[in-house]
Amino acid sequence: MIVNLPDTNAAEIQQGIAQARHNLGGTSGLVFTLVVVADLAGFDRALEACLEAGREHPSRILLLVNGRARADRLDAQVQAGEGTPGEIVTCKFHGALQQHRESVVLPLLLPDLPVIVWWPGRSPQAPGVDPIGRLATRRITDAMGDPNPLAALEVRARNYCPGDTDLTWTRLTRWRGLLAAALDAYPMEVSGVTVSAAPENAAGTLLAAWLSDRLDVPVVVDRGRPGVGITGVVLSSADDEIRVMRTDGNLAAFSAPGLPQRLVALPRRDLNTLLAEELRRLEDDPIYAETMAALVRRLDRAVAHGRGRAG
């Protein structure tokens, strides 16, 4: 069912939600409110990711987008049932109302359930003190959705507060699992690490910070290898090395001491999968917090040595 609400307000949107629930015989089983702050260019992609994630996590999804009309006006649409997971409320803000979106969002949050805010593209410098971000228990950003991913990741690290996370970190789940498993299976005293990544790939920078923090060894980021995303990691010791090299964004060549090279699946994951994974965690991630702190230390050391950003 779709309820269109042109030139509306929060009270009328609540009535639209109640109408949709009544016509569907009630809506239950919603687990949280997901607030998505998107721009017009990224709206369709964000909506697709929300629909996919909603099949695993039925929720009330509030899609916030700024319109182009000059008049101060709020247009909304409520969608429920007919294959829609949970409830989707699209709010398009025009004019001065774009500066007061939190006053519309607050009455629409599901009571006594977690609130998650996701910025698919540009995000505020400090999500934890943003008017929308303050409503949330978890805040998801995506440095790779910013025109300058490396600068965006640095801003996220310097403004981190509990409850923050970034899909750049989620992109590293399989890399971190593979590298941790490799060191468990083939223990060695790592003396240095090289992370290879495409130019402007923020995930490579964050992976380097994680490895530096976990292993307490020098980590170098190489931006010169061909390929997309993260293209390789080499863990070196005095006598041996563990190598994971990926050039096609799908399969990686893995080698370890005493073993012949073999191929392992290490595909790049789409936005839908990343968001669904992140929505499974509703509590703080202490390892992410420690990694962001490690990234700030690397950045500060790089500046002190006159090298600019650390990878």
Side-chain angles (χ1 to χ4, degrees), residues 135-154:
L135 302 176
T137 51
R138 290 282 283 167
R139 293 168 295 275
I140 304 172
T141 55
D142 188 3
M144 292 303 294
D146 192 277
N148 190 335
L150 295 181
L153 182 62
E154 178 175 346

Side-chain angles (χ1 to χ4, degrees), residues 43-110:
F43 178 83
D44 290 340
R45 188 181 182 207
L47 176 59
E48 178 188 350
C50 289
L51 288 171
E52 187 66 28
R55 294 183 175 92
E56 182 176 341
H57 313 279
S59 55
R60 175 174 293 176
I61 299 169
L62 306 179
L63 276 160
L64 314 183
V65 62
N66 286 341
R68 295 173 177 160
R70 294 184 179 180
D72 300 340
R73 192 179 80 241
L74 168 63
D75 299 326
Q77 181 186 84
V78 178
Q79 185 174 346
E82 300 176 0
T84 300
E87 304 165 347
I88 298 179
V89 181
T90 301
C91 298
K92 184 176 289 187
F93 297 83
H94 304 275
L97 287 180
Q98 296 176 1
Q99 309 304 318
H100 306 283
R101 295 177 296 184
E102 70 278 5
S103 62
V104 173
V105 171
L106 183 58
L108 302 179
L109 303 178
L110 289 167

